[in-house]
Amino acid sequence: MPDAIDRFAPTTSVPLQRSDAGRRGPSGGASGLRRDIVLRLRMDGPSSPDQLADRLEASRTGVLQQLRALEAAHLVTRQTVRHGVGRPRHLYDVTPDAQDLFPSNYDALAAGLLAAIEAVGGDDLIDQVFAARRRQLGDRVREHMADHVAPDAPLAERVRELAVVQADNGYLADAVLEADGVIRLREHNCAIYHIAKGSPAACQAELDLFSEILGADVVREQHIASGDRCCTYRIAARPV
């Protein structure tokens, strides 16, 4: 996603509930004005620069500048409308690419689905669901590892590449090789925190996945869902 606009709302909130919220004016600098423009277009539909400037109590020049930036990032589109004699009017609207900028509530959806699964089949069905997810993730991680790490690569190298995978998935992961040779994988963020808090099976599935992928003994030493600052895994080669 281009840097024309920041992701701007928490995933569990709904912005601009009041019908007059757009009258608050820009919420701080160019990026704030861009956010306000996108929100206003989502709520009001196609609008001209003059209309947006009036609703946001901003200058037309400033609005036009931000609209051009948003258009270049494919977050808004422009339509030319002719109305009789005179210069045509330009109307702007958000594009489908802008959808990711708006709040979502996937955590609540996932938690609700897990609660429904538990109500239908109890803990056993929950375990089966996370086991199936582990197998799906495992296939993708193995494919990545095969492309980036030699089959006979040392364990430390494979752990480092697994940390890259987890970092790409939002876990802020890294790998550490201690002076005494101990290997640790650390996740400084839990990308499924609310799910992990409510379903221990989610964390157990991750632990099992790491063990399967690395072919090593993996022990969790710290756990974000239990109140620690990070999830830490001590990883050791299995005895031959």
Side-chain angles (χ1 to χ4, degrees), residues 178 183-188 206-207 210 218-224 228-235:
E178 306 286 356
I183 304 170
R184 285 187 171 87
L185 174 66
R186 302 181 302 184
E187 295 176 335
H188 301 275
E206 181 180 68
L207 185 64
F210 292 169
V218 181
V219 177
R220 182 185 290 114
E221 298 177 320
Q222 293 179 289
H223 191 207
I224 291 176
D228 294 323
R229 285 190 58 85
C230 67
C231 288
T232 304
Y233 298 88
R234 181 187 177 108
I235 300 167

Side-chain angles (χ1 to χ4, degrees), residues 35-49:
R35 288 193 292 269
D36 289 344
I37 288 171
V38 173
L39 286 171
R40 202 69 264 170
L41 289 174
R42 170 64 86 186
M43 295 182 69
D44 298 342
S47 304
S48 69

Side-chain angles (χ1 to χ4, degrees), residues 154-156 158-159 181-183 214-218 234-240:
L155 179 59
R158 288 184 281 128
V159 173
V182 173
I183 304 170
L214 298 170
D217 291 332
V218 181
R234 181 187 177 108
I235 300 167
R238 289 172 180 161
V240 178

Side-chain angles (χ1 to χ4, degrees), residues 30-195:
S31 62
L33 180 54
R34 285 195 292 269
R35 288 193 292 269
D36 289 344
I37 288 171
V38 173
L39 286 171
R40 202 69 264 170
L41 289 174
R42 170 64 86 186
M43 295 182 69
D44 298 342
S47 304
S48 69
D50 288 332
Q51 290 171 322
L52 288 167
D54 178 64
R55 292 165 187 161
L56 297 175
E57 298 179 348
S59 72
R60 185 179 188 277
T61 300
V63 168
L64 270 174
Q65 182 180 7
Q66 302 312 320
L67 283 171
R68 293 190 186 104
L70 290 165
E71 187 178 11
H74 307 292
L75 298 175
V76 303
T77 185
R78 177 179 53 176
Q79 177 186 7
T80 301
V81 179
R82 297 190 178 277
H83 51 100
V85 180
R87 297 172 59 185
R89 184 171 63 155
H90 298 296
L91 297 181
Y92 292 82
D93 200 4
V94 291
T95 67
D97 287 347
Q99 179 58 47
D100 289 341
L101 301 174
F102 295 97
S104 59
N105 203 6
Y106 296 117
D107 280 351
L109 173 61
L113 289 174
L114 288 176
I117 291 169
E118 185 177 20
V120 171
D123 291 340
D124 287 344
L125 187 54
I126 288 287
D127 291 341
Q128 292 177 41
V129 168
F130 279 106
R133 179 178 181 271
R134 186 187 76 236
R135 290 191 292 271
Q136 292 173 344
L137 290 175
D139 290 341
R140 294 201 292 269
V141 175
R142 288 186 189 92
E143 183 177 351
H144 174 95
M145 298 286 278
D147 290 340
H148 293 82
V149 181
D152 58 349
L155 179 59
E157 185 176 342
R158 288 184 281 128
V159 173
R160 280 195 293 268
E161 195 59 40
L162 179 58
V164 170
V165 173
Q166 290 301 94
D168 288 344
N169 289 331
Y171 288 86
L172 299 180
D174 59 16
V176 178
L177 178 60
E178 306 286 356
D180 58 1
V182 173
I183 304 170
R184 285 187 171 87
L185 174 66
R186 302 181 302 184
E187 295 176 335
H188 301 275
N189 177 59
C190 179
I192 57 168
Y193 177 75
H194 295 293
I195 302 303

